Amino acid sequence: MKKQKIRLTLKSYDHQLLDKAVKQIALTAKKTGTDLVGPVALPNKHRCFTVLRSPHVNKKSREQFELITHKRILEIISPSDQTMTALMKLNISAGVDVEIR
């Protein structure tokens, strides 16, 4: 018989907010008595932008910006109804994106 599992993918620009959200989810899952795999840190995605400082002159004067996206994966194996209700009631900060599969 195939076990049911839930895979949570968390993304954020701030790694401290991300780690705090992962700890909250892990503690909630442990309190309800389910098995947890992870958190697994995935490679960071770097996006670099180069912008001219002045729109008309000084072509050599440029600014560079970088966006870093941090990712973590958690798997909850055979969750109970109690686990699902506890996860739905969990308050995670606005800077963290959670995708459930």
Side-chain angles (χ1 to χ4, degrees), residues 3-98:
K3 287 186 178 181
Q4 184 181 10
K5 64 181 176 181
I6 296 174
R7 179 173 286 175
L8 300 170
T9 305
L10 293 100
K11 298 178 187 177
S12 178
Y13 295 121
D14 186 7
H15 66 91
Q16 293 171 343
L17 284 177
L18 185 64
D19 292 336
K20 191 182 293 184
V22 166
K23 282 183 184 177
Q24 282 181 337
I25 292 171
L27 285 174
T28 305
K30 292 287 184 183
K31 283 181 185 176
T32 56
T34 59
D35 294 330
L36 185 72
V37 177
V40 177
L42 293 177
N44 298 334
K45 185 178 260 186
H46 296 266
R47 293 180 59 196
C48 299
F49 303 100
T50 303
V51 180
L52 294 175
R53 287 184 193 216
S54 174
H56 302 295
V57 293
N58 300 332
K59 173 80 173 181
K60 294 181 182 178
S61 176
R62 299 177 186 197
E63 278 185 301
Q64 293 183 337
F65 300 99
E66 183 178 40
L67 272 177
I68 301 173
T69 306
H70 304 274
K71 289 184 186 179
R72 304 283 187 276
I73 287 184
L74 284 169
E75 280 193 0
I76 301 173
I77 300 172
S78 62
S80 63
D81 293 333
Q82 184 183 15
T83 306
M84 293 304 296
T85 56
L87 286 175
M88 292 299 171
K89 291 180 182 178
L90 200 59
N91 190 11
I92 297 176
S93 62
V96 178
D97 179 41
V98 180

